[in-house]
Amino acid sequence: MSLVVQKYGGSSVADAEKIKNVARRVAKAKDDGNDIVVVVSAMGDTTDELVGLAYQMSEQPGARELDVLLSTGEIVSSTLLAIALGDMGYKAISLSGAQAGIRTDTAHSRARILGIDPKRLLRELKQGKIVIVAGFQGVTEEMDTTTLGRGGSDTTAVALAAGLKADRCEIFTDVEGIYTADPHLAPEAHSLPEIGYEEMLELATYGARVMHPRAVELGEIFSIPIRVASSFSDNPGTMIHGGMSMEARNKVTGIAHDMDVAKITVVGVPDRPGIASSIFQPLAKAGISVDTIVQNASIENVTDLTFTVAKGELKKAMKVVKPIAEGIGARQCASDSRLGKVSIIGTGMQNTPGFAARMFQALSEEGINIQLITTSEIRITCIIDEASIGEAVRALHTAFELEQAE
Ligand code: ASP
Ligand code: MG
């Protein structure tokens, strides 16, 4: 008998009919002779709606209350699924994150899982029950409810798979797996049969929204193979795992894009020790995460410093940076919020020359101006005008022959 952890995302449990569809799929996996733990997200846009309600009460809702509020979304979907399975004649029980033994630190709205105490869960499984765990939440030592950050149910699923030493972890969503690019932008994009953890992590971090990066990271650390597939079909989807074949290693695996990029440039910064820290420390203190940072070579001891933040953080970031820029005698502080980034990702890049050149050529042939470039060992990212993202994704998909990949 295998122990299987299945996770169903918000769009897969968006209404009563869809929850019944999930119940049938879970029942089938149980009938196949497996022990089943199911993790669910909140129904459809519930979490957004709950956030909206909280902000109607206050411009700054308290983090503790907000976490309790948001955790209820997953409680609703988990109980409804348990009720649906019960109605079909299956023994099923819903558990909150706390009841499932998911212990976290106290960082509300972005809590980290410290450990899992699986006693209760194992007891329920032993009694032949299907256990349904509310995703995206845990509990502190003080028994306060925490949430794991938006999209955190994937992390719940992989963490449970690790904690229970499950045989399989399956993430069900509304698309057919991990695609070579967003099919809304590149019609030739197709679902990959398999992908390595490293590449998946870069894809997820740089814009592919199918899986949460933290969940991929956990999967890699605990060597949990993760299958990502559609809850609306029986196609096998994509296996994320560590044992990639050599053949798959020498090319671009996928294109990621992200529209959520804003840029701040501090022009005419004196080039001396301590300047970067005087700008980035206050940003970190304000809780603003900075992505790409580029500093130009200085001419006559003056340089320009450019960095990017999420669009929603631009105003706040400018408020922090402007007075500092004035204080250090910078000439100007400019911003642009109409940017996006496009990335090519593939493990073969680190040992093979020419990937960057091919990427830049493909973009230049479309007349797309590159504003900033960053790289990792297996990724090249260009920051460009947001209006050109669609063209860029299509051009790169063609340039790296992703439509031919099988
Ligand atoms: N419901 C939460 C969210 O929308 C968690 C999740 O869906 O994974 O972010
Ligand atoms: Mg969701």
Short mmCIF file of all heavy atoms in Angstrom, two decimals, residues 7 10 41-42 47 74 136 149-154, ligand 1:
data_model
loop_
_atom_site.label_atom_id
_atom_site.label_comp_id
_atom_site.label_asym_id
_atom_site.label_seq_id
_atom_site.Cartn_x
_atom_site.Cartn_y
_atom_site.Cartn_z
N LYS A 7 -2.64 17.39 -3.57
CA LYS A 7 -3.04 18.76 -3.26
C LYS A 7 -3.91 19.30 -4.40
O LYS A 7 -3.58 19.12 -5.57
CB LYS A 7 -1.80 19.63 -3.06
CG LYS A 7 -2.11 21.08 -2.72
CD LYS A 7 -1.89 21.99 -3.89
CE LYS A 7 -2.38 23.40 -3.63
NZ LYS A 7 -2.10 24.30 -4.78
N GLY A 10 -6.94 26.22 -5.58
CA GLY A 10 -8.18 26.97 -5.45
C GLY A 10 -9.13 26.82 -6.63
O GLY A 10 -10.35 26.71 -6.46
N SER A 41 -6.53 24.06 -1.11
CA SER A 41 -6.49 25.52 -1.02
C SER A 41 -7.92 26.01 -0.76
O SER A 41 -8.87 25.23 -0.80
CB SER A 41 -6.04 26.12 -2.35
OG SER A 41 -4.69 25.90 -2.58
N ALA A 42 -8.03 27.30 -0.54
CA ALA A 42 -9.36 27.91 -0.37
C ALA A 42 -10.08 27.94 -1.71
O ALA A 42 -9.46 27.96 -2.77
CB ALA A 42 -9.20 29.32 0.18
N THR A 47 -9.42 33.71 -0.67
CA THR A 47 -8.38 34.38 0.12
C THR A 47 -8.32 35.87 -0.20
O THR A 47 -8.24 36.71 0.70
CB THR A 47 -7.01 33.70 -0.12
OG1 THR A 47 -7.17 32.29 0.04
CG2 THR A 47 -5.96 34.20 0.86
N GLU A 74 -9.32 27.84 3.83
CA GLU A 74 -8.93 26.44 3.65
C GLU A 74 -9.76 25.52 4.56
O GLU A 74 -9.95 24.35 4.25
CB GLU A 74 -7.44 26.26 3.91
CG GLU A 74 -6.52 26.51 2.71
CD GLU A 74 -6.42 27.95 2.25
OE1 GLU A 74 -6.93 28.85 2.95
OE2 GLU A 74 -5.83 28.19 1.18
N PHE A 136 -1.85 25.79 3.71
CA PHE A 136 -1.43 27.19 3.86
C PHE A 136 -1.38 27.67 5.30
O PHE A 136 -1.19 28.85 5.55
CB PHE A 136 -2.38 28.00 2.96
CG PHE A 136 -2.53 29.48 3.11
CD1 PHE A 136 -1.47 30.34 2.81
CD2 PHE A 136 -3.75 30.04 3.48
CE1 PHE A 136 -1.64 31.71 2.88
CE2 PHE A 136 -3.93 31.41 3.55
CZ PHE A 136 -2.86 32.25 3.26
N GLY A 149 2.17 32.26 3.75
CA GLY A 149 2.42 33.11 2.59
C GLY A 149 1.55 32.67 1.44
O GLY A 149 1.22 31.49 1.31
N ARG A 150 1.17 33.64 0.58
CA ARG A 150 0.25 33.34 -0.51
C ARG A 150 0.77 32.18 -1.37
O ARG A 150 1.96 32.09 -1.65
CB ARG A 150 0.03 34.59 -1.38
CG ARG A 150 -0.63 35.76 -0.65
CD ARG A 150 -1.97 35.40 0.00
NE ARG A 150 -2.93 34.83 -0.93
CZ ARG A 150 -3.82 35.55 -1.61
NH1 ARG A 150 -3.86 36.85 -1.48
NH2 ARG A 150 -4.68 34.96 -2.41
N GLY A 151 -0.14 31.33 -1.75
CA GLY A 151 0.24 30.15 -2.53
C GLY A 151 0.85 29.04 -1.68
O GLY A 151 1.41 28.07 -2.20
N GLY A 152 0.70 29.15 -0.35
CA GLY A 152 1.42 28.27 0.56
C GLY A 152 0.91 26.84 0.67
O GLY A 152 1.56 26.00 1.29
N SER A 153 -0.24 26.54 0.06
CA SER A 153 -0.75 25.16 0.18
C SER A 153 0.17 24.15 -0.50
O SER A 153 0.24 22.99 -0.07
CB SER A 153 -2.15 25.05 -0.42
OG SER A 153 -3.03 25.91 0.26
N ASP A 154 0.86 24.56 -1.54
CA ASP A 154 1.84 23.66 -2.17
C ASP A 154 2.89 23.25 -1.14
O ASP A 154 3.30 22.09 -1.07
CB ASP A 154 2.59 24.37 -3.32
CG ASP A 154 1.72 24.57 -4.55
OD1 ASP A 154 0.66 23.93 -4.63
OD2 ASP A 154 2.10 25.39 -5.41
N1 ASP B 1 -5.42 30.24 -0.41
C1 ASP B 1 -4.07 30.71 -0.30
C2 ASP B 1 -3.80 31.71 -1.39
O1 ASP B 1 -4.67 32.00 -2.20
C3 ASP B 1 -3.07 29.60 -0.32
C4 ASP B 1 -3.04 28.76 -1.59
O2 ASP B 1 -3.92 28.88 -2.43
O3 ASP B 1 -2.10 27.98 -1.76
O4 ASP B 1 -2.74 32.25 -1.46
#
